[in-house]
Amino acid sequence: MLGYYPGCTVRAHQNENFEKEALAILKVLGISVEELSEWECCGAIYPLTNDEYVPLLSSVRALKRTEEEKKEGLLTLCSACYHVLKRVNHRMNNDKEAKRRVENYLDDKYEGTTKVLHLIEVLRDQVGYKKIKEHVASSLEGEKIATYYGCLFLRPEKEMELLDAENPGVMEEIVKALGAEPVIYPYRTDCCGAYHASDKEEVSNGASLKIVMSAKKAGATQLVTACPLCKHNLEHCQKDLQDEQKLPVHFITAPIYEALGAEKKADEQPLAN
Amino acid sequence: MRFPTKTASIKEQQELADIIQKNVKDCYQCLKCSAGCPLTEHMDYYPHQVMLLAKMDLYEKIFNSKTLWVCASCLACSSRCPRDLEPAKVMEGLRTMIIRKRGEGNVEVVNPKGVPRQALISSMRKLRR
């Protein structure tokens, strides 16, 4: 049983169905998850300053709760939550000073046994592309899907250790398993402008539009990502384009959900939680 | 380029070193950080120039630059730095020095409507505190 950490943005934007689709896919593929009994926002961004410890606290609480509830790992859907939880975990296990201060503050010990997992990682390691292929009910043949990784999912490479940060291939393999054609384009690991969406819109729009245009040029019919903020930026930057020029942006779960026919299958049994 | 003579005080140099736990003097200007940065078009100093100015203790120039507030901490530079100096971390250190001194950042959240909360929380934490 994996512990499930929804995170603030995924939970707040339920109408985008990221959570619903992800839970349905996991159910179909036989991975059992249960939401942590209590959780709070991970902090949205990992502090790069070495002398601040307060921004680590909420993530440590989630890691500790996973340990207490004896889950095999902590599953996240959002790239940012994954990034923050994984780096905080890394810091707690490698920086004695940070661990001492955080534990003093929380007045509690964290053993450091929690493993932070991303949905993509679970699909790759615990399910496998072969099993995904076997479960495909309606192949997505003819779809050309561009995958966008973004920054927090991949970097810093030596701490995230999930994918090759310069040439990741996991989402492409998943897309292939669904029967669609993955589109390789130059900017799939470049930053979308991230939090500048809230203060310097021209920065995030410019960066995102470059990504969208490059995917379109490479022949994509849709763009998929695993980060709610990337999805917002990639969609928002196209607001001034004509409808026929727009490239639809989805979560990576959308094509999987569609190909597996997860909606029908999930209806037969209620989802976890 | 005319170089100013006002360099950072020992106290300021110590403050930066405390925050980032790195020695910016180790930078050998390979330009990998600037080559991979996706947001350079909005910057007045490129990341490698920030590193050079930090190396020469000319913090004042960086404090007055746009670059600090344009960096989105995407970590492309940090991940690729052959000296493991993490330019994004250096930027954060210098930004933090300004924020701690002023008690506030120089960036207002102007358009919070319809923006995912992840972006709001991140920008508050990075730029205002």
Side-chain angles (χ1 to χ4, degrees):
Chain A
M1 178 74 76
L2 295 173
Y4 166 53
Y5 179 91
C8 62
T9 312
V10 171
R11 196 35 73 80
H13 297 257
Q14 299 242 28
N15 54 343
E16 303 205 14
N17 291 330
F18 193 16
E19 184 172 23
K20 182 184 136 203
E21 289 167 357
L23 292 177
I25 292 165
L26 290 169
K27 182 135 199 134
V28 171
L29 296 170
I31 301 284
S32 54
V33 298
E34 188 183 36
E35 188 172 327
L36 292 186
S37 62
E38 207 179 302
W39 57 269
E40 57 211 10
C41 170
C42 63
I45 195 117
Y46 180 78
L48 297 174
T49 46
N50 265 53
D51 60 348
E52 282 181 0
Y53 300 95
V54 174
L56 307 174
L57 298 175
S58 60
S59 299
V60 176
R61 283 201 195 100
L63 295 168
K64 198 178 148 38
R65 192 162 291 274
T66 316
E67 211 166 55
E68 282 169 0
E69 295 181 359
K70 302 204 168 26
K71 300 284 196 285
E72 285 158 29
L74 186 58
L75 173 81
T76 67
L77 309 179
C78 163
S79 303
C81 299
Y82 175 69
H83 174 92
V84 175
L85 292 168
K86 193 158 181 177
R87 290 194 77 182
V88 170
N89 204 12
H90 185 271
R91 180 122 188 244
M92 288 296 283
N93 288 328
N94 292 286
D95 182 346
K96 286 204 181 98
E97 176 71 6
K99 188 170 157 66
R100 189 179 66 82
R101 286 179 185 249
V102 167
E103 287 183 344
N104 272 348
Y105 191 90
L106 293 176
D107 202 12
D108 217 343
K109 287 248 172 297
Y110 168 55
E111 305 290 335
T113 54
T114 299
K115 204 172 171 337
V116 180
L117 301 165
H118 190 271
L119 175 71
I120 302 285
E121 191 177 5
V122 170
L123 291 178
R124 179 185 71 178
D125 299 339
Q126 301 191 11
V127 178
Y129 309 128
K130 216 176 126 204
K131 194 166 168 194
I132 297 177
K133 205 168 182 175
E134 283 163 12
H135 277 83
V136 170
S138 58
S139 168
L140 297 183
E141 226 181 296
E143 276 290 332
K144 287 183 155 193
I145 304 180
T147 55
Y148 174 67
Y149 290 84
C151 34
L152 299 181
F153 197 25
L154 304 167
R155 296 188 287 260
E157 209 174 354
K158 61 175 187 281
E159 279 182 42
M160 301 313 283
E161 290 179 324
L162 174 63
L163 305 168
D164 175 356
E166 302 301 339
N167 191 18
V170 179
M171 289 211 260
E172 281 85 351
E173 290 297 330
I174 293 173
V175 164
K176 254 190 247 170
L178 303 175
E181 184 189 330
V183 175
I184 307 290
Y185 63 101
Y187 298 117
R188 69 208 161 104
T189 64
D190 259 21
C191 178
C192 67
Y195 48 80
H196 283 316
S198 72
D199 71 283
K200 288 189 186 61
E201 233 186 66
E202 72 283 2
V203 174
S204 61
N205 278 352
S208 296
L209 201 58
K210 190 174 76 180
I211 295 160
V212 171
M213 283 305 149
S214 133
K216 233 178 116 83
K217 219 171 179 179
T221 53
Q222 60 170 295
L223 195 64
V224 295
T225 178
C227 172
L229 181 51
C230 297
K231 180 167 184 279
H232 169 85
N233 281 344
L234 294 171
E235 265 172 354
H236 192 69
C237 74
Q238 302 184 57
K239 65 181 191 308
D240 295 331
L241 296 182
Q242 303 286 330
D243 275 346
E244 63 274 12
Q245 288 178 310
K246 283 185 183 165
L247 186 63
V249 184
H250 300 294
F251 284 115
I252 175 69
T253 49
I256 310 177
Y257 187 76
E258 190 190 333
L260 299 189
E263 190 158 27
K264 242 194 267 157
K265 287 177 192 163
D267 279 346
E268 290 158 17
Q269 283 171 304
L271 299 177
N273 294 295
Chain B
M1 185 172 173
R2 271 184 60 187
F3 290 112
T5 46
K6 189 181 175 299
T7 55
S9 65
I10 299 291
K11 196 168 154 269
E12 279 178 312
Q13 295 177 31
Q14 193 58 50
E15 191 182 346
L16 181 66
D18 276 351
I19 297 172
I20 62 174
Q21 306 269 307
K22 301 266 177 196
N23 183 3
V24 286
K25 305 246 174 345
D26 286 345
C27 171
Y28 57 29
Q29 292 284 301
C30 68
L31 271 65
K32 254 191 142 170
C33 46
S34 297
C37 179
L39 302 177
T40 45
E41 61 181 302
H42 303 278
M43 294 177 173
D44 43 7
Y45 292 119
Y46 292 148
H48 79 275
Q49 291 174 320
V50 169
M51 294 301 287
L52 179 62
L53 290 169
K55 191 176 165 166
M56 298 194 301
D57 300 321
L58 298 171
Y59 295 2
E60 204 60 42
K61 284 220 150 221
I62 314 174
F63 289 153
N64 293 321
S65 74
K66 274 196 253 168
T67 302
L68 281 188
W69 312 99
V70 169
C71 166
S73 310
C74 78
L75 307 177
C77 51
S78 294
S79 199
R80 291 169 188 166
C81 178
R83 300 290 277 159
D84 196 26
L85 285 175
E86 303 188 37
K89 199 170 190 171
V90 176
M91 300 256 198
E92 177 121 332
L94 292 158
R95 206 158 47 217
T96 306
M97 284 171 76
I98 299 178
I99 290 166
R100 286 184 186 168
K101 206 185 281 174
R102 288 192 196 154
E104 58 179 272
N106 65 352
V107 177
E108 287 294 317
V109 176
V110 287
N111 178 27
K113 226 179 172 184
V115 174
R117 54 187 67 190
Q118 187 187 335
L120 288 179
I121 302 166
S122 304
S123 61
M124 296 275 193
R125 285 199 126 164
K126 284 279 181 197
L127 312 171
R128 298 219 289 186
R129 284 171 221 238

